Amino acid sequence: MNAAFVIYRYFPHGGVQREMEKMVRECLTRGHKVTIFAGEWQGPRIPLSNLEILKPRGLTRSERIADFELRAFRKFARRKFDAVIGFQPMRGLDVYFAGNDSFPIEQPKPTILHKLFSPHYRIEQKQEREVFSPRSKTKILHLTESQKYEFIRVYHTPEDHFHLLPPGISEDRRRPEDHRKIEAIRAKIRAEFHLEEDTLLLLQIACNFTDQGVDRTLQALAALPEELAAHCHLLIVGNDVSKGRFDRLARRLKLEKHTTFTSWRDDIGNLMFSGDLLLCPARARSAGSVLIEAIAAGLPAICTELCGYASFTAESGGAVLPEPFAQNDLNHMLEELALSPALLEEMKHATLSYAAGLNLHNRTRCAVDFIEENFPCAK
């Protein structure tokens, strides 16, 4: 197979970006040729693949997105690839990996004027329509059933255009069976952040601090009684450009001693093995792959009902906050768990038991199998 992979912006540690990288590597392992088209690329290139940077022009983000689509489409037309797999909605795709929710659903109640006159709104919805319109021939790889039905509701996409992928994680996120290894990792992480053994380590791992509710987590930590907060530490991992605003919020809430912001790390699995609770009080309907990774690591979680993988969190013994979100619900849940280490330990055992019955390593293989089965010339 001669395959094209298309992504507007690649950066290490992004959820969609990691999925693309794993699919590219799987294709290369099977002997296929891969060319990646990207508007922007950060980090090392994927060995054995061809990378072409189509640097988009334009003064605004929407203009650059539209220019990137045009440049990529011209490449598809000239090169005659066996299959074009996109991680950015646009015309010309054979397969689209739906790593994000429907653009109109993500918007905070856009007005008629916004829909009519916002170039950003018009361009992004137009590109989604190229993929999800009933007339489109694009096959869609989606992550959750709720995500599929949102796209159908907005675009009336035929159901047979969709193919559900199983949850998936990298091997390095699976909890080691050796208890001594876990204890060594935990001791190392706690020493790095100067934490006492009995400190409750709260984790939040986010690409988008607003969508994933970092401010909600900070508010919940600030609401704890002082004697409980003194034994908690919140570690926020991510490279969001708006980090400064959340840093200021933490200072305003007097949480400097109880909060650490750190950029993306290569040892997210080790952080999860060392943590006591993951928080993901998200506003957006993203799938929340971090919830699946937490389950594999044996880390209990609190998330909102909006998260696409919220059902897995509930089934694994975690806590799911109902919609509409109420800050007091999160505050009370965090306080209850901070007060009761036994309850948290019970949640941890339930998470580990649930993870033992899941196969979380087949998503990439299933995605590439689907491509080969639907494009016979790609085998």
Side-chain angles (χ1 to χ4, degrees):
M1 163 170 72
N2 182 18
F5 281 71
V6 193
I7 191 165
Y8 177 69
R9 180 171 175 251
Y10 178 91
F11 55 94
H13 308 295
V16 171
Q17 287 76 10
R18 284 168 48 206
E19 294 296 340
M20 187 198 76
E21 180 181 352
K22 286 187 283 188
M23 287 173 62
V24 167
R25 290 181 183 275
E26 178 70 13
C27 284
L28 293 169
T29 298
R30 298 186 187 196
H32 301 312
K33 180 181 178 183
V34 174
T35 301
I36 303 170
F37 296 102
E40 177 186 342
W41 190 277
Q42 299 174 20
R45 300 188 175 196
I46 302 173
L48 304 180
S49 65
N50 301 314
L51 174 62
E52 295 189 26
I53 305 298
L54 308 179
K55 190 170 179 59
R57 301 189 185 117
L59 297 176
T60 66
R61 181 175 181 273
S62 56
E63 289 175 347
R64 290 191 292 273
I65 288 174
D67 187 65
F68 174 72
E69 178 195 41
L70 178 61
R71 288 166 179 264
F73 185 73
R74 287 172 175 168
K75 292 281 186 180
F76 307 155
R78 285 199 292 265
R79 303 276 279 276
K80 303 297 182 185
F81 292 98
D82 297 319
V84 177
I85 303 98
F87 296 77
Q88 165 82 21
M90 62 174 64
R91 58 183 163 156
L93 300 182
D94 295 308
V95 179
Y96 173 61
F97 180 90
N100 296 307
D101 299 319
S102 169
F103 177 73
I105 295 297
E106 290 180 337
Q107 304 310 297
K109 295 184 178 179
T111 64
I112 294 296
L113 289 177
H114 183 73
K115 292 180 180 181
L116 290 175
F117 298 108
S118 165
H120 176 62
Y121 190 96
R122 288 202 317 274
I123 288 172
E124 297 234 7
Q125 188 168 28
K126 175 180 177 295
Q127 289 182 321
E128 272 198 356
R129 196 174 289 112
E130 295 284 355
V131 169
F132 294 99
S133 162
R135 297 186 301 276
S136 172
K137 290 182 169 49
T138 304
K139 304 290 185 180
I140 301 153
L141 299 174
H142 68 107
L143 306 179
T144 67
E145 287 298 292
S146 61
Q147 182 191 37
K148 177 180 78 172
Y149 289 119
E150 288 292 1
F151 282 120
I152 291 173
R153 183 169 71 82
V154 174
Y155 296 106
H156 308 291
T157 317
E159 229 175 308
D160 62 3
H161 286 201
F162 292 89
H163 178 74
L164 179 65
L165 293 177
I169 62 165
S170 302
E171 283 287 351
D172 64 346
R173 304 298 166 90
R174 183 179 289 280
R175 187 180 183 87
E177 294 182 6
D178 187 339
H179 183 70
R180 289 172 300 179
K181 186 174 182 179
I182 288 290
E183 289 302 314
I185 292 170
R186 180 182 172 89
K188 180 181 176 182
I189 293 296
R190 286 178 175 263
E192 177 182 349
F193 293 101
H194 309 290
L195 304 177
E196 300 293 336
E197 178 57 32
D198 63 347
T199 298
L200 188 69
L201 178 55
L202 311 173
L203 289 179
Q204 181 146 19
I205 300 165
C207 290
N208 185 310
F209 286 5
T210 300
D211 283 355
Q212 289 169 273
V214 170
D215 56 315
R216 293 173 169 181
T217 299
L218 291 169
Q219 294 284 359
L221 181 59
L224 286 178
E226 189 174 340
E227 63 273 15
L228 284 180
H231 294 285
C232 294
H233 195 86
L234 172 62
L235 180 60
I236 300 168
V237 184
N239 279 344
D240 194 315
V241 293
S242 63
K243 171 186 170 294
R245 177 163 67 86
F246 294 89
D247 205 2
R248 290 191 293 274
L249 175 61
R251 291 197 300 271
R252 191 162 68 248
L253 294 172
K254 297 183 170 50
L255 294 175
E256 300 100 313
K257 293 181 180 179
H258 308 300
T259 305
T260 300
F261 288 87
T262 180
S263 59
W264 282 116
R265 299 165 56 112
D266 293 327
D267 62 346
I268 298 295
N270 286 349
L271 293 179
M272 288 187 167
F273 306 150
S274 307
D276 297 299
L277 183 67
L278 178 84
L279 293 112
C280 188
R283 293 181 171 87
R285 294 178 181 272
S286 55
S289 294
V290 69
L291 299 175
I292 299 297
E293 293 176 348
I295 290 171
L299 178 64
I302 299 176
C303 71
T304 51
E305 198 174 39
L306 278 179
C307 295
Y309 288 137
S311 61
F312 285 83
T313 296
E315 291 169 8
S316 67
V320 177
L321 302 171
E323 292 295 326
F325 174 81
Q327 183 67 48
N328 279 340
D329 289 347
L330 178 58
N331 297 355
H332 293 154
M333 179 59 67
L334 182 57
E335 182 174 352
E336 181 182 3
L337 292 175
L339 276 169
S340 178
L343 177 57
L344 198 52
E345 192 66 20
E346 185 180 318
M347 290 172 64
K348 179 179 176 180
H349 285 304
T351 301
L352 285 169
S353 296
Y354 183 78
L358 289 179
N359 186 338
L360 298 173
H361 303 283
N362 285 339
R363 175 188 282 174
T364 302
R365 179 181 59 77
C366 289
V368 177
D369 284 349
F370 177 82
I371 294 167
E372 291 181 339
E373 289 164 9
N374 282 270
F375 301 91
C377 60
K379 289 186 178 180

